[in-house]
Every structure is written in structure tokens, then in C-alpha cells.
PDB file of all heavy atoms in Angstrom:
ATOM      1  N   LYS A   1       0.837  -1.101  -0.017  1.00  0.00           N
ATOM      2  CA  LYS A   1       0.042   0.060   0.033  1.00  0.00           C
ATOM      3  C   LYS A   1       0.772   1.248  -0.014  1.00  0.00           C
ATOM      4  O   LYS A   1       2.073   1.142   0.392  1.00  0.00           O
ATOM      5  CB  LYS A   1      -0.886  -0.066   1.223  1.00  0.00           C
ATOM      6  CG  LYS A   1      -1.845  -1.130   1.315  1.00  0.00           C
ATOM      7  CD  LYS A   1      -2.702  -1.112   2.603  1.00  0.00           C
ATOM      8  CE  LYS A   1      -3.670  -2.306   2.586  1.00  0.00           C
ATOM      9  NZ  LYS A   1      -4.726  -2.214   1.596  1.00  0.00           N
ATOM     10  N   ALA A   2       0.310   2.328  -0.325  1.00  0.00           N
ATOM     11  CA  ALA A   2       0.964   3.594  -0.511  1.00  0.00           C
ATOM     12  C   ALA A   2       1.641   3.971   0.848  1.00  0.00           C
ATOM     13  O   ALA A   2       2.818   4.422   1.035  1.00  0.00           O
ATOM     14  CB  ALA A   2       0.120   4.808  -0.894  1.00  0.00           C
ATOM     15  N   SER A   3       0.831   3.780   1.934  1.00  0.00           N
ATOM     16  CA  SER A   3       1.423   4.216   3.316  1.00  0.00           C
ATOM     17  C   SER A   3       2.694   3.254   3.700  1.00  0.00           C
ATOM     18  O   SER A   3       3.558   3.686   4.337  1.00  0.00           O
ATOM     19  CB  SER A   3       0.314   4.004   4.429  1.00  0.00           C
ATOM     20  OG  SER A   3      -0.133   2.656   4.433  1.00  0.00           O
ATOM     21  N   GLN A   4       2.569   1.979   3.354  1.00  0.00           N
ATOM     22  CA  GLN A   4       3.641   0.984   3.700  1.00  0.00           C
ATOM     23  C   GLN A   4       4.948   1.428   2.810  1.00  0.00           C
ATOM     24  O   GLN A   4       5.986   1.385   3.268  1.00  0.00           O
ATOM     25  CB  GLN A   4       3.253  -0.429   3.277  1.00  0.00           C
ATOM     26  CG  GLN A   4       2.108  -0.869   4.234  1.00  0.00           C
ATOM     27  CD  GLN A   4       1.281  -2.072   3.648  1.00  0.00           C
ATOM     28  OE1 GLN A   4       1.522  -2.471   2.465  1.00  0.00           O
ATOM     29  NE2 GLN A   4       0.606  -2.718   4.523  1.00  0.00           N
ATOM     30  N   ILE A   5       4.757   1.831   1.476  1.00  0.00           N
ATOM     31  CA  ILE A   5       5.768   2.137   0.670  1.00  0.00           C
ATOM     32  C   ILE A   5       6.502   3.493   1.118  1.00  0.00           C
ATOM     33  O   ILE A   5       7.699   3.495   1.406  1.00  0.00           O
ATOM     34  CB  ILE A   5       5.392   2.513  -0.745  1.00  0.00           C
ATOM     35  CG1 ILE A   5       4.928   1.138  -1.539  1.00  0.00           C
ATOM     36  CG2 ILE A   5       6.513   3.108  -1.518  1.00  0.00           C
ATOM     37  CD1 ILE A   5       4.193   1.333  -2.763  1.00  0.00           C
ATOM     38  N   ARG A   6       5.641   4.446   1.748  1.00  0.00           N
ATOM     39  CA  ARG A   6       6.232   5.604   2.286  1.00  0.00           C
ATOM     40  C   ARG A   6       7.047   5.312   3.501  1.00  0.00           C
ATOM     41  O   ARG A   6       8.171   5.871   3.631  1.00  0.00           O
ATOM     42  CB  ARG A   6       5.147   6.580   2.657  1.00  0.00           C
ATOM     43  CG  ARG A   6       5.666   7.910   3.122  1.00  0.00           C
ATOM     44  CD  ARG A   6       4.513   8.871   3.485  1.00  0.00           C
ATOM     45  NE  ARG A   6       3.736   9.211   2.241  1.00  0.00           N
ATOM     46  CZ  ARG A   6       4.106  10.164   1.370  1.00  0.00           C
ATOM     47  NH1 ARG A   6       5.369  10.790   1.585  1.00  0.00           N
ATOM     48  NH2 ARG A   6       3.479  10.414   0.341  1.00  0.00           N
ATOM     49  N   GLU A   7       6.587   4.525   4.439  1.00  0.00           N
ATOM     50  CA  GLU A   7       7.261   4.166   5.605  1.00  0.00           C
ATOM     51  C   GLU A   7       8.542   3.434   5.340  1.00  0.00           C
ATOM     52  O   GLU A   7       9.653   3.759   5.891  1.00  0.00           O
ATOM     53  CB  GLU A   7       6.342   3.270   6.638  1.00  0.00           C
ATOM     54  CG  GLU A   7       7.101   3.186   8.052  1.00  0.00           C
ATOM     55  CD  GLU A   7       6.178   2.417   8.931  1.00  0.00           C
ATOM     56  OE1 GLU A   7       5.045   2.014   8.600  1.00  0.00           O
ATOM     57  OE2 GLU A   7       6.630   2.230  10.109  1.00  0.00           O
ATOM     58  N   ALA A   8       8.408   2.395   4.539  1.00  0.00           N
ATOM     59  CA  ALA A   8       9.634   1.609   4.138  1.00  0.00           C
ATOM     60  C   ALA A   8      10.701   2.565   3.438  1.00  0.00           C
ATOM     61  O   ALA A   8      11.992   2.543   3.629  1.00  0.00           O
ATOM     62  CB  ALA A   8       9.338   0.552   3.235  1.00  0.00           C
ATOM     63  N   HIS A   9      10.297   3.513   2.523  1.00  0.00           N
ATOM     64  CA  HIS A   9      11.174   4.367   1.949  1.00  0.00           C
ATOM     65  C   HIS A   9      11.957   5.377   2.961  1.00  0.00           C
ATOM     66  O   HIS A   9      13.173   5.512   2.750  1.00  0.00           O
ATOM     67  CB  HIS A   9      10.521   5.205   0.836  1.00  0.00           C
ATOM     68  CG  HIS A   9      11.361   5.991  -0.001  1.00  0.00           C
ATOM     69  ND1 HIS A   9      11.717   7.255   0.296  1.00  0.00           N
ATOM     70  CD2 HIS A   9      11.847   5.679  -1.306  1.00  0.00           C
ATOM     71  CE1 HIS A   9      12.541   7.631  -0.830  1.00  0.00           C
ATOM     72  NE2 HIS A   9      12.612   6.816  -1.677  1.00  0.00           N
ATOM     73  N   GLY A  10      11.224   5.763   3.948  1.00  0.00           N
ATOM     74  CA  GLY A  10      11.930   6.516   4.887  1.00  0.00           C
ATOM     75  C   GLY A  10      12.968   5.803   5.735  1.00  0.00           C
ATOM     76  O   GLY A  10      13.957   6.333   5.859  1.00  0.00           O
ATOM     77  N   LEU A  11      12.645   4.522   6.054  1.00  0.00           N
ATOM     78  CA  LEU A  11      13.615   3.660   6.663  1.00  0.00           C
ATOM     79  C   LEU A  11      14.887   3.374   5.799  1.00  0.00           C
ATOM     80  O   LEU A  11      15.982   3.348   6.234  1.00  0.00           O
ATOM     81  CB  LEU A  11      13.012   2.396   7.159  1.00  0.00           C
ATOM     82  CG  LEU A  11      12.102   2.531   8.372  1.00  0.00           C
ATOM     83  CD1 LEU A  11      11.324   1.203   8.601  1.00  0.00           C
ATOM     84  CD2 LEU A  11      12.844   2.782   9.678  1.00  0.00           C
ATOM     85  N   ALA A  12      14.541   3.128   4.559  1.00  0.00           N
ATOM     86  CA  ALA A  12      15.535   2.878   3.478  1.00  0.00           C
ATOM     87  C   ALA A  12      16.622   4.056   3.456  1.00  0.00           C
ATOM     88  O   ALA A  12      17.844   3.857   3.348  1.00  0.00           O
ATOM     89  CB  ALA A  12      14.930   2.490   2.169  1.00  0.00           C
ATOM     90  N   ARG A  13      16.094   5.282   3.453  1.00  0.00           N
ATOM     91  CA  ARG A  13      16.962   6.475   3.379  1.00  0.00           C
ATOM     92  C   ARG A  13      17.881   6.441   4.596  1.00  0.00           C
ATOM     93  O   ARG A  13      19.036   6.768   4.518  1.00  0.00           O
ATOM     94  CB  ARG A  13      16.106   7.674   3.237  1.00  0.00           C
ATOM     95  CG  ARG A  13      15.513   7.812   1.945  1.00  0.00           C
ATOM     96  CD  ARG A  13      14.765   9.127   1.779  1.00  0.00           C
ATOM     97  NE  ARG A  13      15.416  10.297   1.989  1.00  0.00           N
ATOM     98  CZ  ARG A  13      16.099  10.909   1.010  1.00  0.00           C
ATOM     99  NH1 ARG A  13      15.915  10.556  -0.196  1.00  0.00           N
ATOM    100  NH2 ARG A  13      16.748  12.108   1.334  1.00  0.00           N
ATOM    101  N   GLU A  14      17.292   6.179   5.868  1.00  0.00           N
ATOM    102  CA  GLU A  14      18.108   6.228   7.022  1.00  0.00           C
ATOM    103  C   GLU A  14      19.176   5.134   6.977  1.00  0.00           C
ATOM    104  O   GLU A  14      20.254   5.292   7.462  1.00  0.00           O
ATOM    105  CB  GLU A  14      17.161   5.988   8.268  1.00  0.00           C
ATOM    106  CG  GLU A  14      16.200   7.039   8.560  1.00  0.00           C
ATOM    107  CD  GLU A  14      15.283   6.768   9.717  1.00  0.00           C
ATOM    108  OE1 GLU A  14      15.589   5.664  10.487  1.00  0.00           O
ATOM    109  OE2 GLU A  14      14.263   7.462   9.928  1.00  0.00           O
ATOM    110  N   LEU A  15      18.884   4.002   6.315  1.00  0.00           N
ATOM    111  CA  LEU A  15      19.788   2.913   6.315  1.00  0.00           C
ATOM    112  C   LEU A  15      20.679   2.964   5.088  1.00  0.00           C
ATOM    113  O   LEU A  15      21.512   2.000   4.766  1.00  0.00           O
ATOM    114  CB  LEU A  15      18.971   1.589   6.198  1.00  0.00           C
ATOM    115  CG  LEU A  15      18.146   1.222   7.516  1.00  0.00           C
ATOM    116  CD1 LEU A  15      17.112   0.163   7.205  1.00  0.00           C
ATOM    117  CD2 LEU A  15      19.141   0.773   8.644  1.00  0.00           C
ATOM    118  N   ARG A  16      20.493   4.073   4.307  1.00  0.00           N
ATOM    119  CA  ARG A  16      21.341   4.257   3.077  1.00  0.00           C
ATOM    120  C   ARG A  16      21.209   3.028   2.094  1.00  0.00           C
ATOM    121  O   ARG A  16      22.371   2.695   1.690  1.00  0.00           O
ATOM    122  CB  ARG A  16      22.802   4.620   3.474  1.00  0.00           C
ATOM    123  CG  ARG A  16      22.934   5.707   4.456  1.00  0.00           C
ATOM    124  CD  ARG A  16      24.363   5.920   4.925  1.00  0.00           C
ATOM    125  NE  ARG A  16      25.227   6.437   3.781  1.00  0.00           N
ATOM    126  CZ  ARG A  16      25.225   7.682   3.439  1.00  0.00           C
ATOM    127  NH1 ARG A  16      24.512   8.695   4.014  1.00  0.00           N
ATOM    128  NH2 ARG A  16      25.963   8.134   2.405  1.00  0.00           N
ATOM    129  N   ILE A  17      20.082   2.665   1.779  1.00  0.00           N
ATOM    130  CA  ILE A  17      19.842   1.601   0.640  1.00  0.00           C
ATOM    131  C   ILE A  17      18.771   2.249  -0.201  1.00  0.00           C
ATOM    132  O   ILE A  17      17.918   2.941   0.200  1.00  0.00           O
ATOM    133  CB  ILE A  17      19.460   0.318   1.298  1.00  0.00           C
ATOM    134  CG1 ILE A  17      18.259   0.419   2.085  1.00  0.00           C
ATOM    135  CG2 ILE A  17      20.603  -0.299   2.044  1.00  0.00           C
ATOM    136  CD1 ILE A  17      17.665  -0.990   2.594  1.00  0.00           C
ATOM    137  N   PRO A  18      18.895   1.836  -1.498  1.00  0.00           N
ATOM    138  CA  PRO A  18      18.003   2.367  -2.500  1.00  0.00           C
ATOM    139  C   PRO A  18      16.673   1.477  -2.678  1.00  0.00           C
ATOM    140  O   PRO A  18      16.733   0.419  -3.242  1.00  0.00           O
ATOM    141  CB  PRO A  18      18.877   2.386  -3.808  1.00  0.00           C
ATOM    142  CG  PRO A  18      19.779   1.263  -3.617  1.00  0.00           C
ATOM    143  CD  PRO A  18      20.024   1.150  -2.130  1.00  0.00           C
ATOM    144  N   LEU A  19      15.626   1.899  -2.071  1.00  0.00           N
ATOM    145  CA  LEU A  19      14.273   1.375  -2.438  1.00  0.00           C
ATOM    146  C   LEU A  19      13.637   2.054  -3.635  1.00  0.00           C
ATOM    147  O   LEU A  19      13.316   3.258  -3.465  1.00  0.00           O
ATOM    148  CB  LEU A  19      13.344   1.482  -1.188  1.00  0.00           C
ATOM    149  CG  LEU A  19      12.046   0.512  -1.074  1.00  0.00           C
ATOM    150  CD1 LEU A  19      11.523   0.468   0.237  1.00  0.00           C
ATOM    151  CD2 LEU A  19      11.098   1.069  -2.092  1.00  0.00           C
ATOM    152  N   VAL A  20      13.657   1.325  -4.701  1.00  0.00           N
ATOM    153  CA  VAL A  20      13.357   2.043  -6.005  1.00  0.00           C
ATOM    154  C   VAL A  20      12.209   1.651  -6.698  1.00  0.00           C
ATOM    155  O   VAL A  20      11.748   2.167  -7.712  1.00  0.00           O
ATOM    156  CB  VAL A  20      14.616   1.918  -6.907  1.00  0.00           C
ATOM    157  CG1 VAL A  20      15.845   2.596  -6.290  1.00  0.00           C
ATOM    158  CG2 VAL A  20      14.888   0.436  -7.260  1.00  0.00           C
ATOM    159  N   SER A  21      11.486   0.653  -6.274  1.00  0.00           N
ATOM    160  CA  SER A  21      10.468  -0.030  -7.113  1.00  0.00           C
ATOM    161  C   SER A  21       9.372  -0.707  -6.254  1.00  0.00           C
ATOM    162  O   SER A  21       9.508  -1.018  -5.094  1.00  0.00           O
ATOM    163  CB  SER A  21      11.003  -1.064  -8.041  1.00  0.00           C
ATOM    164  OG  SER A  21      11.504  -2.147  -7.328  1.00  0.00           O
ATOM    165  N   ASN A  22       8.196  -0.751  -6.938  1.00  0.00           N
ATOM    166  CA  ASN A  22       7.063  -1.515  -6.484  1.00  0.00           C
ATOM    167  C   ASN A  22       6.563  -2.349  -7.596  1.00  0.00           C
ATOM    168  O   ASN A  22       6.641  -2.033  -8.861  1.00  0.00           O
ATOM    169  CB  ASN A  22       5.874  -0.607  -6.111  1.00  0.00           C
ATOM    170  CG  ASN A  22       4.656  -1.311  -5.695  1.00  0.00           C
ATOM    171  OD1 ASN A  22       4.708  -2.191  -4.871  1.00  0.00           O
ATOM    172  ND2 ASN A  22       3.501  -0.974  -6.184  1.00  0.00           N
ATOM    173  N   GLN A  23       6.079  -3.655  -7.325  1.00  0.00           N
ATOM    174  CA  GLN A  23       5.600  -4.602  -8.393  1.00  0.00           C
ATOM    175  C   GLN A  23       4.187  -4.786  -8.181  1.00  0.00           C
ATOM    176  O   GLN A  23       3.933  -5.770  -7.435  1.00  0.00           O
ATOM    177  CB  GLN A  23       6.430  -5.815  -8.400  1.00  0.00           C
ATOM    178  CG  GLN A  23       6.184  -6.753  -9.626  1.00  0.00           C
ATOM    179  CD  GLN A  23       7.065  -7.964  -9.872  1.00  0.00           C
ATOM    180  OE1 GLN A  23       6.574  -8.938  -9.920  1.00  0.00           O
ATOM    181  NE2 GLN A  23       8.294  -7.557  -9.781  1.00  0.00           N
ATOM    182  N   PRO A  24       3.285  -4.040  -8.793  1.00  0.00           N
ATOM    183  CA  PRO A  24       1.907  -4.353  -8.593  1.00  0.00           C
ATOM    184  C   PRO A  24       1.172  -4.934  -9.864  1.00  0.00           C
ATOM    185  O   PRO A  24       1.794  -4.871 -11.030  1.00  0.00           O
ATOM    186  CB  PRO A  24       1.300  -2.945  -8.449  1.00  0.00           C
ATOM    187  CG  PRO A  24       2.114  -2.152  -9.466  1.00  0.00           C
ATOM    188  CD  PRO A  24       3.584  -2.803  -9.459  1.00  0.00           C
ATOM    189  N   GLN A  25       0.049  -5.522  -9.733  1.00  0.00           N
ATOM    190  CA  GLN A  25      -0.753  -5.945 -10.889  1.00  0.00           C
ATOM    191  C   GLN A  25      -1.334  -4.640 -11.375  1.00  0.00           C
ATOM    192  O   GLN A  25      -1.729  -3.656 -10.660  1.00  0.00           O
ATOM    193  CB  GLN A  25      -1.898  -6.715 -10.299  1.00  0.00           C
ATOM    194  CG  GLN A  25      -2.824  -7.251 -11.480  1.00  0.00           C
ATOM    195  CD  GLN A  25      -3.991  -8.130 -11.092  1.00  0.00           C
ATOM    196  OE1 GLN A  25      -4.782  -8.575 -11.954  1.00  0.00           O
ATOM    197  NE2 GLN A  25      -4.059  -8.457  -9.855  1.00  0.00           N
ATOM    198  N   TYR A  26      -1.292  -4.491 -12.826  1.00  0.00           N
ATOM    199  CA  TYR A  26      -1.749  -3.235 -13.383  1.00  0.00           C
ATOM    200  C   TYR A  26      -2.084  -3.581 -14.798  1.00  0.00           C
ATOM    201  O   TYR A  26      -1.386  -4.256 -15.575  1.00  0.00           O
ATOM    202  CB  TYR A  26      -0.720  -2.190 -13.314  1.00  0.00           C
ATOM    203  CG  TYR A  26      -1.141  -0.795 -13.874  1.00  0.00           C
ATOM    204  CD1 TYR A  26      -2.237  -0.229 -13.462  1.00  0.00           C
ATOM    205  CD2 TYR A  26      -0.352  -0.103 -14.945  1.00  0.00           C
ATOM    206  CE1 TYR A  26      -2.721   1.034 -13.841  1.00  0.00           C
ATOM    207  CE2 TYR A  26      -0.707   1.029 -15.339  1.00  0.00           C
ATOM    208  CZ  TYR A  26      -1.982   1.706 -14.790  1.00  0.00           C
ATOM    209  OH  TYR A  26      -2.217   2.913 -15.260  1.00  0.00           O
ATOM    210  N   SER A  27      -3.338  -3.182 -15.226  1.00  0.00           N
ATOM    211  CA  SER A  27      -3.820  -3.364 -16.570  1.00  0.00           C
ATOM    212  C   SER A  27      -4.992  -2.491 -16.780  1.00  0.00           C
ATOM    213  O   SER A  27      -5.422  -1.670 -16.015  1.00  0.00           O
ATOM    214  CB  SER A  27      -4.272  -4.821 -16.873  1.00  0.00           C
ATOM    215  OG  SER A  27      -5.478  -5.109 -16.164  1.00  0.00           O
ATOM    216  N   MET A  28      -5.521  -2.405 -18.081  1.00  0.00           N
ATOM    217  CA  MET A  28      -6.637  -1.728 -18.399  1.00  0.00           C
ATOM    218  C   MET A  28      -7.915  -1.968 -17.442  1.00  0.00           C
ATOM    219  O   MET A  28      -8.709  -1.104 -17.131  1.00  0.00           O
ATOM    220  CB  MET A  28      -7.199  -1.944 -19.814  1.00  0.00           C
ATOM    221  CG  MET A  28      -6.221  -1.544 -20.854  1.00  0.00           C
ATOM    222  SD  MET A  28      -7.081  -2.016 -22.407  1.00  0.00           S
ATOM    223  CE  MET A  28      -5.772  -1.844 -23.593  1.00  0.00           C
ATOM    224  N   LEU A  29      -7.926  -3.251 -16.992  1.00  0.00           N
ATOM    225  CA  LEU A  29      -8.961  -3.716 -16.097  1.00  0.00           C
ATOM    226  C   LEU A  29      -8.834  -3.623 -14.649  1.00  0.00           C
ATOM    227  O   LEU A  29      -9.666  -3.688 -13.888  1.00  0.00           O
ATOM    228  CB  LEU A  29      -9.312  -5.148 -16.481  1.00  0.00           C
ATOM    229  CG  LEU A  29      -9.666  -5.457 -17.935  1.00  0.00           C
ATOM    230  CD1 LEU A  29     -10.076  -6.972 -18.145  1.00  0.00           C
ATOM    231  CD2 LEU A  29     -10.763  -4.578 -18.494  1.00  0.00           C
ATOM    232  N   TRP A  30      -7.411  -3.447 -14.270  1.00  0.00           N
ATOM    233  CA  TRP A  30      -6.951  -3.467 -12.880  1.00  0.00           C
ATOM    234  C   TRP A  30      -6.240  -2.225 -12.551  1.00  0.00           C
ATOM    235  O   TRP A  30      -5.017  -2.253 -12.845  1.00  0.00           O
ATOM    236  CB  TRP A  30      -6.295  -4.753 -12.488  1.00  0.00           C
ATOM    237  CG  TRP A  30      -6.110  -4.931 -11.060  1.00  0.00           C
ATOM    238  CD1 TRP A  30      -4.904  -4.589 -10.400  1.00  0.00           C
ATOM    239  CD2 TRP A  30      -6.922  -5.528 -10.051  1.00  0.00           C
ATOM    240  NE1 TRP A  30      -4.994  -4.900  -9.009  1.00  0.00           N
ATOM    241  CE2 TRP A  30      -6.217  -5.519  -8.844  1.00  0.00           C
ATOM    242  CE3 TRP A  30      -8.182  -6.301 -10.179  1.00  0.00           C
ATOM    243  CZ2 TRP A  30      -6.878  -6.076  -7.678  1.00  0.00           C
ATOM    244  CZ3 TRP A  30      -8.747  -6.691  -9.065  1.00  0.00           C
ATOM    245  CH2 TRP A  30      -8.036  -6.653  -7.876  1.00  0.00           C
ATOM    246  N   ARG A  31      -6.852  -1.268 -12.064  1.00  0.00           N
ATOM    247  CA  ARG A  31      -6.185   0.034 -11.956  1.00  0.00           C
ATOM    248  C   ARG A  31      -6.153   0.691 -10.550  1.00  0.00           C
ATOM    249  O   ARG A  31      -6.155   1.862 -10.312  1.00  0.00           O
ATOM    250  CB  ARG A  31      -6.854   1.094 -12.895  1.00  0.00           C
ATOM    251  CG  ARG A  31      -6.856   0.662 -14.332  1.00  0.00           C
ATOM    252  CD  ARG A  31      -7.625   1.583 -15.379  1.00  0.00           C
ATOM    253  NE  ARG A  31      -7.216   2.828 -15.444  1.00  0.00           N
ATOM    254  CZ  ARG A  31      -7.583   3.686 -16.391  1.00  0.00           C
ATOM    255  NH1 ARG A  31      -8.525   3.308 -17.269  1.00  0.00           N
ATOM    256  NH2 ARG A  31      -7.217   4.928 -16.453  1.00  0.00           N
ATOM    257  N   VAL A  32      -6.083  -0.208  -9.586  1.00  0.00           N
ATOM    258  CA  VAL A  32      -6.105   0.099  -8.117  1.00  0.00           C
ATOM    259  C   VAL A  32      -4.899   0.872  -7.724  1.00  0.00           C
ATOM    260  O   VAL A  32      -5.056   1.530  -6.629  1.00  0.00           O
ATOM    261  CB  VAL A  32      -6.308  -1.109  -7.346  1.00  0.00           C
ATOM    262  CG1 VAL A  32      -7.542  -1.990  -7.792  1.00  0.00           C
ATOM    263  CG2 VAL A  32      -5.065  -2.084  -7.382  1.00  0.00           C
TER     264      VAL A  32
END
């Protein structure tokens, strides 16, 4: 979820590692 990505990204910055991607389902029919 967006909130989980945000929290993890903040920790990643503190730990000096690059969190750079999310792998979601996405298509014309699935746009969540």
C-alpha cells in the first residue's frame, strides 16, 4: 500500500539503501 511504501522508503533512506520499485498488478482492467 502507499502508506507502507512511504514508511519503508523513509527507513531505507536512514539505512542508506535504494528502495526504488514496486511490483503491482496493473492493466486496463485493474487500475487500483
Side-chain angles (χ1 to χ4, degrees):
K1 296 180 182 297
S3 59
Q4 295 165 345
I5 294 172
R6 183 179 296 280
E7 186 177 4
H9 191 270
L11 288 170
R13 287 178 65 89
E14 292 177 13
L15 294 164
R16 303 180 68 83
I17 57 173
L19 194 161
V20 298
S21 67
N22 177 48
Q23 188 173 127
Q25 181 179 179
Y26 187 51
S27 71
M28 295 178 193
L29 305 183
W30 190 268
R31 300 171 66 168
V32 304

